C-alpha cells in the first residue's frame, strides 16, 4: 500500500473534476491528497484503527474511496474518470501553464496525451494556431516544458520522508545480513529537500544483502542490481542507492557520500597538499590506505576535527575545523519543547488536550500553544474574549498536565505595523509570536518599516517564519533583512525557525547571518495536527546548519526562563 499512490489518484480526480467544471470538490480532493501524502504511517493502518475520518479533509465519501482501494485495489470513481480522460495529468501538473483545462483542450484539439505528444506538437508549431493559444503562449509552454525536463527527479521535502527513510534503515539493520547500515547524502546533512536516498552498509554476504534490499516491500522497481551497488525506486517515488563497502572503507565512504560536493572538493585538495589521495575507499599514501574505517580518522589524518554533517557546506567549517574553532552546535536532545503549535480552536485539527498529550509522548517538557488571532479570519483567529476563555482552559490543564503548557498567540502584524490584540490581553500571554500573513506585497521600505514597528512595539517575543517563503510556492518577502536583524538585536526580539517543511523559515544561511548580529532564536514546528509536532526536528536541523549553539536557542531553556523573556 502506498499513501503516495492514493494521494496521486486524488490529485487526478481533482483535475478530472476541474475539467468537468465541478465546483468545490476538486479542492476537497486536493486537500485530502495533501493530508495523505504527509502521513508518517501507512494509511492502511489508520483505516484499520477506524480513524480515517479523523484526518484533516477526509470526509465520508473520500474515506469510502480509500476503503474501496484498500479492500479491492481499485477506486471506481478514479477508474471511470480516467477512462474518460486518458491524459497524463500527473506529468502535466508539474508543467506551469498546463492546468487540467488547458491540457484537456490540447487533448481534444490535437490528441495530446503525454509529454512526448506535447513536445512534438510544440516542435511542429501546431499549438500557436489553436484558438486561445497563440505564439506567445506556445513559447511560454515550450520554456516551461524545458524547465520541467531539467528537473529529472523531483525533490522531496525531508520533513515528510525522513521517518520513512529511517524506518527503512532500521528494518535493514534488524532483519538484513548487514554489520552496519547508515544513511548518507543530503539526508544525513539534513538538507530541507532531498533528491534521492543514499544508504551505505557493510556485510560479509553482499549478494544476500542486495537480495534482502531488493525484496523489501518499499521497493517498487529495481533499476540496477550489482554486488556493490544497487539502485531502486521506492514506493514513495524516490530513488535509493544501496552501496555495500568494505569495513576498512566505511568511514571514507560515509564521508564521500555525505558531501556536499564543495566540502569534498576542498578536502581532496587538502589531501593532495599533504601528498595524499582521498576517495570513497580511503585516504591513501601511495597505494597504502592510512585512514578509512571511520570518518573521524579521515578528518584527523587531514589535520581536522571531525565536522558535524549539518555543517558540511564549505562555508568556513573546514577552516574552523583546522583551527579548532568549530561551534558546539545545539544538539537535537537539547531542544526541550516547541514554541509554535496550533489547536483546532483556530485552524488546527486536534484539541488542546490531544496536542498536549502528543507533545508529552514526544518527550517535550513544554509547548507554547500559539493559535492565530482575530485578524486572520480565514484561520478562525481568536479575539480577546475567546483567548481569555481558552487561556483559562490552559490554566486548568496545567494543574494536571505532566508538561508545561505556555499560553501563546500567533499575532497578526497589520499593514501599519500595529498588532490585532490589545496589550492587556498580551500581558497575560507567556509567549507571543508576531507574523505577517496578509498584504505582504508592499514595497520593500514599507514592508520593512511595518515589521520594525512591530519589533519595537514591546509586544512580541519572536518574529514567526520571518521571510514568509514557501518552498516551490512563494518567494521570500522583499525586506531589508539587515535592518530587521538590527532591530531584533536592539529590542531583544527573537527570530523564529519554523520547521514546517514547506516553510523551513528562516533558511539556514540567513540563520547564520542573523547570528552574527547577536540575535537569539525560537524553534517551532508550526504543527496544525498532532503528527506534525515531529517537524520540530527540522527546525533543529536548520538551527544546526546555521551554526547555532545551545545558548542561541531559547527552546533549550527552562520554561520559566522563557516566560521571563523580555517583551
Ligand atoms: Zn503563520
Ligand atoms: Zn502558525
Amino acid at each position: 500500500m502506498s499513501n503516495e499512490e492514493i494521494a496521486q489518484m486524488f490529485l487526478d480526480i481533482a483535475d478530472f473534476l476541474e475539467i468537468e467544471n465541478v465546483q468545490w470538490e476538486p479542492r476537497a480532493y486536493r486537500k485530502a491528497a495533501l493530508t495523505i501524502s504527509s502521513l508518517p504511517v501507512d494509511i492502511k493502518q489508520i483505516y484499520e484503527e477506524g480513524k480515517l475520518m479523523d484526518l484533516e479533509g477526509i470526509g465520508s465519501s473520500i474515506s469510502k474511496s480509500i476503503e474501496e482501494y484498500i479492500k479491492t485495489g481499485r477506486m471506481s470513481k478514479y477508474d471511470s474518470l480516467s477512462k474518460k480522460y486518458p491524459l497524463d495529468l500527473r506529468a502535466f501538473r508539474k508543467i506551469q501553464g498546463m492546468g487540467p483545462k488547458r491540457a484537456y483542450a490540447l487533448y481534444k484539439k490535437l490528441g495530446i496525451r503525454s509529454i512526448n505528444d506535447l513536445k512534438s506538437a510544440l516542435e511542429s508549431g501546431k499549438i500557436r494556431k489553436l484558438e486561445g493559444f497563440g505564439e506567445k503562449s506556445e513559447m511560454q509552454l515550450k520554456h516551461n516544458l524545458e524547465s520541467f525536463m531539467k528537473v529529472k527527479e523531483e525533490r522531496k521535502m525531508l520533513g515528510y520522508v525522513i521517518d520513512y527513510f529511517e524506518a527503512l534503515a532500521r528494518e535493514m539493520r534488524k532483519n538484513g545480513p548487514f554489520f552496519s547500515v547508515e544513511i548518507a547524502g543530503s539526508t544525513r546533512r539534513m538538507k530541507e529537500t532531498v533528491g534521492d536516498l543514499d544508504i551505505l552498509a557493510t556485510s560479509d554476504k553482499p549478494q544476500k544483502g542486495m537480495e534482502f534490499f531488493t525484496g523489501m516491500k518499499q521497493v517498487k522497481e529495481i533499476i540496477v542490481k550489482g554486488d556493490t551497488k544497487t539502485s531502486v525506486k521506492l514506493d514513495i517515488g524516490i530513488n535509493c542507492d544501496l552501496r555495500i563497502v568494505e569495513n576498512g572503507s566505511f568511514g571514507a565512504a560515509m564521508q564521500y557520500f555525505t558531501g556536499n560536493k564543495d566540502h569534498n572538493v576542498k578536502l581532496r585538495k587538502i589531501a593532495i597538499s599533504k601528498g595524499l589521495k582521498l576517495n570513497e575507499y580511503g585516504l591513501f599514501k601511495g597505494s597504502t590506505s592510512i585512514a578509512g574505517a571511520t570518518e573521524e580518522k579521515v578528518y584527523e589524518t587531514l589535520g581536522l576535527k571531525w565536522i558535524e554533517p549539518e555543517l558540511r557546506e564549505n562555508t568556513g567549517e573546514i577552516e574552523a575545523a583546522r583551527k579548532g574553532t568549530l561551534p558546539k552546535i545545539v544538539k537535537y536532545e537539547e531542544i526541550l519543547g516547541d514554541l509554535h503549535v496550533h489547536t483546532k480552536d483556530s485552524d488546527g485539527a486536534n484539541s488542546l488536550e490531544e496536542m498536549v498529550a502528543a507533545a508529552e509522548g514526544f518527550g517535550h517538557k513544554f509547548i507554547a500553544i500559539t493559535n492565530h488571532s482575530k485578524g486572520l479570519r480565514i484561520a478562525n483567529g481568536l479575539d480577546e474574549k475567546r483567548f481569555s476563555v481558552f487561556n483559562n482552559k490552559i490554566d486548568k490543564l496545567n494543574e494536571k498536565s505532566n508538561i508545561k503548557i505556555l499560553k501563546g498567540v500567533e499575532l497578526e502584524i497589520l499593514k501599519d505595523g500595529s498588532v490585532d490584540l490589545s496589550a492587556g490581553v498580551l500581558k497575560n500571554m507567556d509567549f507571543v509570536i508576531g507574523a505577517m500573513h496578509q498584504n505582504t506585497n508592499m514595497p520593500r521600505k514599507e514592508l520593512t518599516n511595518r515589521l520594525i514597528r512591530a519589533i519595537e512595539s514591546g509586544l512580541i517575543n519572536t518574529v514567526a517564519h520571518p521571510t514568509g517563503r514557501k518552498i516551490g510556492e512563494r518567494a521570500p518577502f522583499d525586506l531589508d533583512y539587515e535592518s530587521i536583524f538590527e532591530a531584533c538585536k536592539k529590542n531583544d526580539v527573537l527570530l523564529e525557525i519554523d520547521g514546517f517543511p514547506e516553510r523551513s523559515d528562516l533558511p539556514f544561511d540567513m540563520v547564520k547571518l542573523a547570528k552574527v548580529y547577536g540575535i537569539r532564536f525560537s524553534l517551532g514546528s508550526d504543527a496544525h495536527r498532532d503528527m506534525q509536532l515531529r517537524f520540530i526536528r527540522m527546525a533543529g536541523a536548520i538551527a544546526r546548519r546555521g551554526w547555532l549553539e545551545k545558548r542561541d536557542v531559547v527552546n533549550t531553556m527552562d520554561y520559566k526562563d522563557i516566560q521571563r523573556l523580555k517583551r
Side-chain angles (χ1 to χ4, degrees):
M1 180 68 46
S2 157
N3 295 357
E4 193 57 31
E5 181 56 25
I6 295 179
Q8 289 293 336
M9 287 169 105
F10 282 170
L11 290 176
D12 288 341
I13 292 176
D15 283 358
F16 296 143
L17 294 174
E18 202 173 315
I19 294 171
E20 301 200 329
N21 282 318
V22 176
Q23 302 287 311
W24 303 112
E25 257 190 280
R27 252 185 86 175
Y29 275 97
R30 288 193 182 110
K31 200 165 175 196
L34 186 69
T35 298
I36 293 166
S37 63
S38 60
L39 289 175
V41 294
D42 196 327
I43 191 155
K44 201 174 164 196
Q45 188 186 324
I46 296 172
Y47 164 72
E48 280 161 359
E49 289 165 5
K51 289 186 175 164
L52 276 182
M53 302 263 282
D54 295 353
L55 296 175
E56 190 180 2
I58 311 277
S60 70
S61 92
I62 288 182
S63 86
K64 274 189 195 121
S65 289
I66 298 172
E67 180 176 9
E68 184 194 354
Y69 186 76
I70 289 173
K71 282 185 171 161
T72 66
R74 306 224 61 93
M75 200 184 285
S76 40
K77 182 159 188 160
Y78 173 83
D79 288 347
S80 64
L81 284 165
S82 63
K83 211 176 276 167
K84 205 160 152 197
Y85 304 106
L87 342 173
D88 188 0
L89 289 170
R90 291 188 191 183
F92 291 152
R93 269 203 285 281
K94 292 178 192 149
I95 303 170
Q96 245 186 28
M98 272 295 275
K101 283 192 175 158
R102 263 168 96 87
Y104 182 62
L106 289 173
Y107 165 69
K108 257 194 5 201
K109 289 174 181 156
L110 299 173
I112 295 173
R113 293 166 176 243
S114 64
I115 294 285
N116 276 337
D117 295 347
L118 176 65
K119 216 171 148 191
S120 43
L122 281 167
E123 276 159 12
S124 65
K126 276 185 196 157
I127 289 177
R128 75 181 72 171
K129 292 179 199 132
L130 294 179
E131 201 194 311
F133 282 83
E135 205 163 333
K136 204 175 152 200
S137 74
E138 185 184 80
M139 258 174 50
Q140 195 95 62
L141 210 48
K142 226 177 196 161
H143 173 80
N144 294 341
L145 178 66
E146 272 163 24
S147 38
F148 164 79
M149 302 296 267
K150 257 185 245 158
V151 190
K152 314 186 291 288
E153 271 302 316
E154 200 191 346
R155 295 184 74 81
K156 297 250 178 203
M157 283 177 226
L158 183 60
Y160 290 118
V161 293
I162 190 165
D163 293 333
Y164 173 102
F165 286 175
E166 288 180 338
L168 183 86
R170 260 199 314 275
E171 197 181 325
M172 290 173 70
R173 270 178 218 125
K174 193 168 161 227
N175 300 323
F178 306 105
F179 298 128
S180 52
V181 176
E182 294 296 337
I183 291 173
S186 42
T187 299
R188 185 165 176 237
R189 299 201 316 277
M190 297 296 282
K191 217 178 142 182
E192 58 263 58
T193 61
V194 289
D196 56 12
L197 174 63
D198 290 294
I199 300 180
L200 298 180
T202 54
S203 172
D204 59 352
K205 302 184 195 78
Q207 268 181 354
K208 280 219 166 91
M210 292 306 186
E211 285 300 320
F212 177 85
F213 177 59
T214 54
M216 291 178 82
K217 68 172 194 306
Q218 294 92 331
V219 171
K220 194 177 175 188
E221 189 188 319
I222 300 167
I223 301 167
V224 206
K225 192 172 172 185
D227 280 354
T228 54
K229 183 188 168 189
T230 289
S231 299
V232 301
K233 193 173 196 104
L234 299 171
D235 58 3
I236 54 167
I238 209 165
N239 288 356
C240 174
D241 291 343
L242 169 65
R243 290 180 176 82
I244 298 184
V245 304
E246 300 285 331
N247 281 326
S249 294
F250 191 67
M254 281 300 286
Q255 198 290 310
Y256 183 90
F257 289 107
T258 296
N260 77 1
K261 208 167 140 196
D262 295 340
H263 177 94
N264 285 0
V265 167
K266 186 97 161 239
L267 282 199
R268 283 202 291 278
K269 277 191 190 146
I270 294 175
I272 291 167
S273 74
K274 293 182 182 295
L276 306 172
K277 200 179 134 202
L278 177 65
N279 58 30
E280 61 194 278
Y281 303 104
L283 183 59
F284 292 88
K285 188 170 203 166
S287 57
T288 314
S289 171
I290 56 171
T294 69
E295 262 193 345
E296 285 81 357
K297 183 79 187 187
V298 171
Y299 280 100
E300 188 197 307
T301 313
L302 291 172
L304 306 170
K305 284 251 164 53
W306 179 78
I307 299 171
E308 301 267 7
E310 287 94 331
L311 298 179
R312 299 183 194 173
E313 296 276 342
N314 189 28
T315 52
E317 75 281 6
I318 295 175
E319 292 74 8
R322 188 186 294 137
K323 286 185 274 185
T325 56
L326 278 171
K328 272 204 191 74
I329 56 175
V330 61
K331 298 190 179 97
Y332 291 103
E333 61 270 23
E334 286 170 339
I335 298 162
L336 304 179
D338 192 334
L339 291 172
H340 188 161
V341 174
H342 297 273
T343 65
K344 70 178 178 193
D345 301 274
S346 66
D347 58 343
N350 292 99
S351 67
L352 170 66
E353 291 79 5
E354 286 165 344
M355 288 309 262
V356 170
E360 190 186 342
F362 216 78
H364 284 330
K365 299 243 185 314
F366 58 81
I367 52 168
I369 304 292
T370 55
N371 278 322
H372 292 286
S373 52
K374 62 185 178 187
L376 197 61
R377 291 223 183 86
I378 53 160
N380 187 25
L382 284 70
D383 60 13
E384 282 85 351
K385 228 171 158 180
R386 284 179 64 208
F387 262 117
S388 90
V389 174
F390 183 69
N391 285 344
N392 280 335
K393 234 171 104 183
I394 292 185
D395 287 337
K396 285 229 175 70
L397 192 55
N398 260 330
E399 285 167 19
K400 53 181 181 183
S401 170
N402 294 320
I403 67 170
K404 182 71 185 180
I405 312 153
L406 297 175
K407 288 173 276 191
V409 49
E410 179 172 5
L411 202 55
E412 283 305 289
I413 298 174
L414 304 173
K415 251 175 157 173
D416 62 354
S418 63
V419 296
D420 68 333
L421 286 183
S422 66
V425 176
L426 295 175
K427 233 181 19 216
N428 295 321
M429 300 277 190
D430 297 308
F431 196 72
V432 177
I433 292 181
M436 298 196 290
H437 294 111
Q438 305 169 101
N439 303 111
T440 52
N441 283 330
M442 294 159 72
R444 169 185 280 230
K445 202 162 168 27
E446 278 174 52
L447 193 63
T448 305
N449 288 340
R450 169 181 172 185
L451 186 51
I452 288 179
R453 193 177 154 208
I455 290 167
E456 288 174 344
S457 69
L459 296 172
I460 67 172
N461 289 108
T462 189
V463 180
H465 41 71
T467 80
R469 70 138 173 196
K470 283 195 175 169
I471 295 174
E473 212 180 301
R474 204 163 55 206
F477 296 146
D478 186 14
L479 280 170
D480 172 1
Y481 285 99
E482 309 219 347
S483 303
I484 301 296
F485 296 163
E486 273 164 19
C488 282
K489 173 64 191 162
K490 219 169 110 196
N491 295 281
D492 260 329
V493 168
L494 313 170
L495 285 170
E496 183 190 56
I497 300 175
D498 185 315
F500 205 89
E502 281 86 346
R503 288 202 181 272
S504 301
D505 185 8
L506 277 185
F508 83 98
D509 47 348
M510 289 183 73
V511 170
K512 201 173 161 188
L513 183 64
K515 182 192 155 147
V516 176
Y517 286 76
I519 296 169
R520 286 191 298 169
F521 299 80
S522 66
L523 309 188
S525 64
D526 208 348
H528 284 70
R529 55 174 54 251
D530 50 8
M531 282 182 284
Q532 294 172 343
L533 286 166
R534 72 192 195 278
F535 297 150
I536 193 73
R537 181 178 175 195
M538 300 313 294
I542 296 172
R544 285 166 61 82
R545 297 179 69 214
W547 293 45
L548 298 191
E549 305 195 8
K550 189 179 174 189
R551 60 164 184 261
D552 302 318
V553 177
V554 298
N555 303 55
T556 62
M557 306 191 313
D558 189 84
Y559 77 86
K560 286 195 190 109
D561 294 322
I562 294 175
Q563 283 174 317
R564 279 187 218 116
L565 284 171
K566 204 187 123 200
R567 215 193 299 147

